[in-house]
Amino acid sequence: DLPRPSISAEPGTAIPLGSQVTFVCRGPIGVQTFRLERESRALYNDSEDVSQVSPSASEARFRIDSVSEGNAGPYRCIYYKARRWSDQSDYLELLVKGEDVTWALPQSQLAPRACPQ
């Protein structure tokens, strides 16, 4: 089986409104495409810009230049290698911090939205 990918966020998972965040999806070498999924399989961004970061790992980076409250919520990664998709990574919850409020919706209240570029 393909190993599960990992997901992380730089500089972190709690981002001030209007700041930049980069999701980093990491998997084994030889990955053709990384996919960042948002809330469900239906909302995603693909990246074929895969870089090898060590002898055994590759990664792709997904940047949001200016986060809004609409970007809050769970994200996960999968990748495509050897003509099949991997299992999903664990979910990573992005929190967006305003001046006096943090947006984070309970899983049950999430409405599907298009993934921003």
Side-chain angles (χ1 to χ4, degrees), residues 73-112:
Y75 292 80
R76 64 186 178 185
C77 292
I78 62 173
Y79 64 84
Y80 189 76
K81 178 182 175 180
R83 298 197 297 278
R84 60 199 176 112
W85 288 98
S86 70
D87 289 334
Q88 291 106 338
S89 68
D90 291 332
Y91 272 113
L92 181 77
E93 186 79 26
L94 183 69
L95 305 177
V96 177
K97 299 186 295 186
E99 307 210 336
D100 53 4
V101 62
T102 296
W103 287 275
L105 298 176
Q107 198 72 33
S108 61
Q109 293 178 18
L110 289 171

Side-chain angles (χ1 to χ4, degrees):
D1 275 356
L2 297 174
R4 289 177 69 200
S6 65
I7 183 172
S8 59
E10 297 173 0
T13 56
I15 302 298
L17 195 61
S19 297
Q20 177 184 304
V21 66
T22 300
F23 292 100
V24 181
C25 297
R26 187 171 282 206
I29 57 170
V31 169
Q32 294 160 272
T33 303
F34 277 99
R35 175 172 289 180
L36 179 69
E37 293 184 342
R38 167 99 188 271
E39 296 170 8
S40 74
R41 283 181 173 270
L43 302 173
Y44 61 85
N45 289 345
D46 281 352
S47 175
E48 293 179 11
D49 182 15
V50 176
S51 55
Q52 187 170 336
V53 293
S54 78
S56 61
S58 61
E59 71 177 29
R61 304 172 80 84
F62 299 84
R63 193 172 80 193
I64 299 174
D65 286 324
S66 178
V67 299
S68 68
E69 57 268 33
N71 297 125
Y75 292 80
R76 64 186 178 185
C77 292
I78 62 173
Y79 64 84
Y80 189 76
K81 178 182 175 180
R83 298 197 297 278
R84 60 199 176 112
W85 288 98
S86 70
D87 289 334
Q88 291 106 338
S89 68
D90 291 332
Y91 272 113
L92 181 77
E93 186 79 26
L94 183 69
L95 305 177
V96 177
K97 299 186 295 186
E99 307 210 336
D100 53 4
V101 62
T102 296
W103 287 275
L105 298 176
Q107 198 72 33
S108 61
Q109 293 178 18
L110 289 171
R113 282 187 295 275
C115 217
Q117 291 301 315

